[in-house]
Amino acid sequence: MAHIHVTCLLTLAFVHVVFSSGVFELKIHSFHTAQRICRRHRDCHIFFRICLKHPEDVISAEPPCTFGTGHTNVIRADRTSISSSAPIKVPFHFKWPGTFSLIIEAWNTESPTEYTDNQNNLVSRLATKRRLAIGEDWSQDVHFGEQSELRYSYHVFCDEFYFGDGCADYCRPRDDTLGHYTCDEEGNRICLEGWKGNYCSEPICSADCSEKHGYCEAPGGCTCRMGWQGPSCTECVRYPGCLHGTCSQPWQCNCQEGWGGLFCDQDLNYCTNHKPCANGATCTNTGQGSYTCACRPGFGGTNCELETNECDSNPCKNGGSCNDLENDYSCTCPQGFYGKNCEIIAMTCADGPCFNGGTCVETMTGGYTCRCPPSYTGSNCEKKLDRCSNRPCLNGGQCLDLGQSVLCRCRPGFTGANCQVNIDDCASAPCQNAGTCQDGLNDYTCSCTLGYTGKNCSVRSDACGERPCQNGGTCFTHFTGPVCQCPKGFMGPSCEFTLQSSFKPALRQTSHHSSTTITISCILTVLLLVLVVGVIFMRRRRTQQGRKQLREIAVYNDLETVNNLGGSEREAFLSPNGLFKISNSTARLSLTLCPDGRSGYRHNPAESNQARGERHDFMWRDEAGLSSALR
């Protein structure tokens, strides 16, 4: 709507530029001058020019003419032509100020078509200041100069579509997208039927269309906004899928009575579907599957199925007899009593009103009261007291009235003065073999562990007793239940599935590949062992040859050292108690060591050989260990 207004304003501005807002119109009636107007009187022509300016105290004839200028046609300079000349019109494009300066000039010309500004052709000039309001009436005026007389009239009127005191109000009737209106005499827009607004561009919707939730694009229509519906757009749109619900705002789903769920599609109206309340009672749903009944007077019970006996509450006093009526009762009063409930006493103790040995006592108000003996009650001790009437025994216990007290004979499973205690049948721990006991009414229930059954879980159950294994399977008892060992060709928890024959060729092929793989592995292992043994044998042979050469070189070096010693040192070294001795049978030097590593102990060749043999064995064991590591 805003862009329509802007377009309208731009259009108005354009119209203001093209068309004038008003017209100043001046009519020359007569012009007389004492001097000659033209040099040649026969072909003398004249024209009048006016200049409108803003109001000045001292009017200057010099331009510019700020309000506008205009002139007549060139006419003959005679009285008839001047009086019949057309009015001079000066359009203006602004708000008429009301006060202006007017300059009227008379010019002669030698040619009927020539307008000149030659000052020699100026015949007369009139300058005056006037005030003029907008209107159709002409203002008459006359000007007397030194040698001239000019009579004229003038008025100012608004151009078409302009109104107001200053012709500043624009109003052009239209009936298009920019507006739908006409204009009155003062320039006010009068909206066409069905339109409203400043520019009459807003359609008037139907009378019942909601202004908040509806709109219209044409008069008399009603288009609903999102979330609203109905002829008047006053109905909210419910949540999609809502079946039995209403809404106060769009996209809600407030369930009706008796329905529930996100889409109000769950039937909770027990009253409507089952009608549980009898005898005209009012049913109210209180939740899923629950209800309450508001009974009519005279009825009671959960479903109002019981007719109430108004006499059950013993409304009649003083020994009156109660008569049950429909939703009411009446009392037949004994002598000396009256009233709705026989509550008004008309007797005294002199009349002996107390029965069953009751004691009569006069009251200060003129009546009496009866002090009843035990086991009797009532205003006149006329009723035998029934202590079991208020049902003191619970859980179906039998009440026995003993006069001064009552005795409750309880049903099996209950105990207590009023049979209010449920005997715990699980107190004696009847469930065996870790069974769980659950108390009941004069009974108990045992939840047995796996492998046991019976009332007290005392009987051992056989998991395989029902023979769960099929196709010849063998059953075993497990703490989780029976377990089946299936024969060849069957599988499953109960051996109920048969193996497909298509699996057998695949098994043979797998066995064949496994045998081939084992054979190749054994051959490679044997070759590897042979290679390791050969390496160990060559290393052992090289080691023995190297040790033999080392011993020979060491003995030779030791003998040279001894020969280089002095006499006494050599004798001490080679003495019987020395470290070395020279054997006659062999040129080798025997090194003697004590068993604990000290010198002075001489080994015999056999021991030496034995020692060398032990060293060889030790080295063999080491080489054997090395060969094992290489393996």
Side-chain angles (χ1 to χ4, degrees):
M1 192 64 67
H3 73 279
I4 295 178
H5 291 170
V6 173
T7 305
C8 185
L9 292 175
L10 293 176
T11 304
L12 290 176
F14 176 77
V15 171
H16 284 194
V17 174
V18 175
F19 301 99
S20 62
S21 60
V23 177
F24 176 86
E25 191 173 27
L26 185 142
K27 168 68 176 174
I28 303 295
H29 296 292
S30 65
F31 176 69
H32 301 282
T33 179
Q35 61 181 0
R36 293 181 58 182
I37 297 177
C38 301
R39 300 186 185 91
R40 294 178 298 176
H41 185 70
R42 292 179 59 185
D43 294 327
C44 183
H45 293 80
I46 192 174
F47 69 90
F48 295 92
R49 182 173 64 181
I50 63 174
C51 176
L52 289 178
K53 302 179 68 174
H54 56 279
E56 296 176 334
D57 295 334
V58 178
I59 302 174
S60 172
E62 298 299 326
C65 299
T66 55
F67 286 1
T69 183
H71 56 81
T72 64
N73 294 328
V74 177
I75 57 178
R76 294 182 64 83
D78 58 72
R79 180 179 300 178
T80 303
S81 298
I82 292 174
S83 61
S84 61
S85 63
I88 304 173
K89 293 183 179 182
V90 179
F92 55 87
H93 309 280
F94 48 85
K95 182 178 180 180
W96 180 251
T99 304
F100 59 96
S101 296
L102 174 63
I103 301 174
I104 304 175
E105 297 174 342
W107 296 76
N108 64 13
T109 178
E110 302 296 336
S111 171
T113 60
E114 180 181 357
Y115 295 92
T116 178
D117 288 337
N118 188 351
Q119 294 295 323
N120 295 327
N121 294 336
L122 179 63
V123 177
S124 175
R125 174 178 289 162
L126 162 66
T128 182
K129 181 179 179 181
R130 290 288 185 267
R131 178 181 296 275
L132 182 64
I134 300 295
E136 294 292 336
D137 297 335
W138 292 82
S139 296
Q140 303 293 330
D141 203 350
V142 59
H143 176 72
F144 297 99
E146 295 180 356
Q147 298 180 358
S148 63
E149 176 186 327
L150 177 64
R151 293 181 182 272
Y152 61 93
S153 61
Y154 56 90
H155 69 159
V156 178
F157 61 93
C158 295
D159 207 346
E160 187 181 14
F161 309 133
Y162 286 90
F163 303 87
D165 296 337
C167 299
D169 298 331
Y170 179 82
C171 181
R172 179 181 180 181
R174 65 191 320 144
D175 188 10
D176 51 26
T177 56
L178 299 181
H180 307 271
Y181 56 86
T182 59
C183 303
D184 61 9
E185 295 179 354
E186 297 180 356
N188 298 319
R189 284 181 286 271
I190 307 299
C191 294
L192 299 178
E193 184 179 0
W195 298 92
K196 63 179 181 177
N198 293 334
Y199 293 93
C200 303
S201 56
E202 303 176 17
I204 299 176
C205 302
S206 60
D208 55 351
C209 186
S210 172
E211 294 184 0
K212 184 177 181 181
H213 308 305
Y215 67 96
C216 58
E217 298 177 353
C222 189
T223 303
C224 298
R225 302 186 188 277
M226 182 177 293
W228 297 91
Q229 61 183 355
S232 304
C233 300
T234 55
E235 303 173 10
C236 55
V237 178
R238 297 180 299 173
Y239 189 83
C242 183
L243 295 180
H244 302 281
T246 59
C247 63
S248 57
Q249 294 295 328
W251 322 123
Q252 291 180 344
C253 189
N254 303 322
C255 297
Q256 300 174 357
E257 183 180 0
W259 296 93
L262 178 62
F263 302 103
C264 299
D265 54 351
Q266 300 178 9
D267 186 4
L268 307 179
N269 198 341
Y270 193 89
C271 293
T272 302
N273 297 335
H274 302 280
K275 296 180 173 57
C277 300
N279 297 311
T282 301
C283 183
T284 303
N285 293 291
T286 58
Q288 292 186 350
S290 61
Y291 64 94
T292 57
C293 293
C295 302
R296 294 173 52 203
F299 296 93
T302 304
N303 297 328
C304 303
E305 73 280 6
L306 303 176
E307 183 177 359
T308 303
N309 188 347
E310 283 78 12
C311 291
D312 290 342
S313 60
N314 299 320
C316 301
K317 309 297 182 184
N318 300 310
S321 176
C322 183
N323 302 312
D324 185 27
L325 303 176
E326 185 177 355
N327 195 28
D328 199 2
Y329 66 94
S330 64
C331 292
T332 302
C333 303
Q335 184 179 4
F337 298 93
Y338 62 93
K340 173 68 176 177
N341 297 324
C342 303
E343 73 278 8
I344 302 175
I345 303 174
M347 298 177 64
T348 64
C349 288
D351 298 322
C354 300
F355 303 103
N356 299 311
T359 302
C360 184
V361 179
E362 298 282 352
T363 61
M364 299 296 294
T365 59
Y368 69 92
T369 58
C370 291
R371 296 179 180 176
C372 302
S375 301
Y376 290 94
T377 186
S379 299
N380 298 318
C381 305
E382 74 280 4
K383 295 181 181 179
K384 182 175 177 62
L385 183 62
D386 184 8
R387 301 181 184 275
C388 292
S389 61
N390 58 353
R391 299 180 181 178
C393 301
L394 305 176
N395 298 310
Q398 182 182 2
C399 180
L400 300 177
D401 188 359
L402 302 180
Q404 299 294 330
S405 62
V406 295
L407 175 65
C408 290
R409 184 175 295 171
C410 302
R411 292 172 53 201
F414 295 94
T415 186
N418 300 98
C419 304
Q420 74 277 12
V421 180
N422 180 14
I423 298 176
D424 187 5
D425 299 291
C426 292
S428 60
C431 300
Q432 304 177 16
N433 297 309
T436 303
C437 182
Q438 184 176 0
D439 185 30
L441 297 178
N442 196 28
D443 196 8
Y444 62 90
T445 304
C446 291
S447 299
C448 302
T449 57
L450 186 65
Y452 293 93
T453 186
K455 175 67 177 177
N456 299 330
C457 304
S458 58
V459 179
R460 178 108 181 161
S461 61
D462 185 8
C464 295
E466 298 180 358
R467 298 183 179 181
C469 302
Q470 305 177 17
N471 298 310
T474 303
C475 181
F476 296 93
T477 301
H478 192 259
F479 72 92
T480 59
V483 178
C484 295
Q485 181 179 3
C486 301
K488 185 176 181 180
F490 296 95
M491 62 182 296
S494 301
C495 305
E496 67 272 22
F497 300 115
T498 303
L499 291 175
Q500 298 294 333
S501 58
S502 59
F503 292 106
K504 294 181 180 180
L507 293 174
R508 293 194 194 99
Q509 185 178 2
T510 303
S511 300
H512 176 71
H513 288 319
S514 300
S515 302
T516 304
T517 303
I518 293 173
T519 302
I520 295 174
S521 301
C522 292
I523 294 174
L524 293 175
T525 303
V526 170
L527 293 176
L528 181 61
L529 290 174
V530 171
L531 179 61
V532 170
V533 170
V535 171
I536 293 173
F537 177 77
M538 294 299 295
R539 291 188 61 184
R540 179 182 177 188
R541 184 174 181 182
R542 290 179 181 177
T543 302
Q544 289 178 354
Q545 292 178 355
R547 287 179 177 176
K548 183 176 179 181
Q549 295 177 359
L550 182 61
R551 284 196 299 267
E552 292 177 355
I553 295 172
V555 171
Y556 177 77
N557 291 336
D558 290 339
L559 289 176
E560 274 192 341
T561 301
V562 171
N563 292 330
N564 291 332
L565 295 175
S568 59
E569 293 178 351
R570 183 172 51 192
E571 291 177 0
F573 195 81
L574 297 177
S575 65
N577 296 328
L579 182 61
F580 294 97
K581 69 175 182 177
I582 300 300
S583 176
N584 293 328
S585 60
T586 178
R588 297 185 181 277
L589 179 64
S590 298
L591 177 63
T592 60
L593 294 174
C594 295
D596 56 358
R598 294 175 299 173
S599 61
Y601 182 78
R602 185 180 304 146
H603 287 280
N604 55 29
E607 292 177 350
S608 299
N609 292 334
Q610 184 179 359
R612 282 192 299 271
E614 289 177 356
R615 282 195 303 271
H616 292 168
D617 292 342
F618 173 78
M619 289 304 296
W620 169 250
R621 284 194 298 269
D622 183 58
E623 290 172 357
L626 178 60
S627 64
S628 298
L630 291 175
R631 293 174 191 169

